[in-house]
Amino acid sequence: IVQRPTALAIDSWRDNIIITCPGSGRIIVLDRKFKVVRKIRHQEMIAPQGVAFLQEHDEIYVTDKWKHCIFVFNHKGELVYRMCNKGYGESELCSPEGIAFHPERSVLYIADTGNNRIQILEKDGTYLDSIGPKNKSTKNTVKFRKTSSSVSQLNQPTDVAVTITRVVVADSGHHKVKIFNHDGQILQSIGGIGTAKGLFRSPEVLKIDNKGYIIVGDAGNGRVQIFSPEGKFLRILGVKKTQGYKFAWISGLLVTNNYDILVSDSKNNFVHLF
C-alpha cells in the first residue's frame, strides 16, 4: 500500500491516519484498522513529504520537497490551492520537509530545510516570521530575528513541532533537537552526534505528545528516543532489531490521543505501531 512512507498526521474529524508517500507521489488515508479510505494524488505533486491537518478548515497541508511548495487539499482529496515557490525570500521554500500548525491558531510552521530555517506563515502562505540564521544567501531577502549565539542556528532542519509555548526543531545537520520560544529565542539544545543514549545521528522527525514529552525519530541510529518536557532522556524504542523488524530509516512519527506511537520507515516501506 505504502511506498516510502514518510510523514504521519491525524484527521481529527474522522480519526483517520494520513501518510505521505513520496515513492508513489501519493497521500494515503487509512482508518484505524489500517484499511485504505482514500488515495490522494495530483498531477503537479511529485514528492509529498510533510503533512499537517488543519481542523478548523478541514484541510490537509502537504509539503512537496522537489516542487518546493505546499499543496492544500480538502478531506475528499480535492486540491484547494497551492502556495509558495522555490526561493530564498519570504514565503519562498527550498526542499521543505516537516510542517505543523500552532495548536490554537491557524499559523503554519515549515521546516524550510534547504534554507536552514523554520518559516512561519499564515494558512494562506502570507509570511509572518522565521527562525534561523542570517547568511549570505538570504541576508537581502529574509528578515531574521536578531540572535547573538550560533547555538540558535539551524543546519538542514527536517521537522518541527509546536506547542503553546515552544517551537521544537529537528536540527538534523547538527544532530540536535533545539527548543525555541515563540520569540525565536533558543531555550535548550538536546543531543549531539553519537550513538549513546540522548545522542543522535540525523534526527529526522519529531513529535510532542499531549503531556509535553518529546519523541524523536533518530533515523541514523535506527531508533526512537523519548525525552521529558524538560529535555531529559527517558527511553529508547526499536533498538536495531526487535521482534523481527529493524528500522532502516525513521521518516515519520505520530502520537495518538491514547499515546500509541506510530513510526514510518521509508526504506523498509512499513508503518509500525508501538
Side-chain angles (χ1 to χ4, degrees), residues 212-233:
Y213 290 88
I214 303 167
I215 298 95
V216 183
D218 184 9
N221 284 323
R223 63 190 182 184
V224 174
Q225 296 200 60
I226 301 176
F227 297 82
S228 72
E230 296 75 32
K232 180 182 178 181
F233 169 80

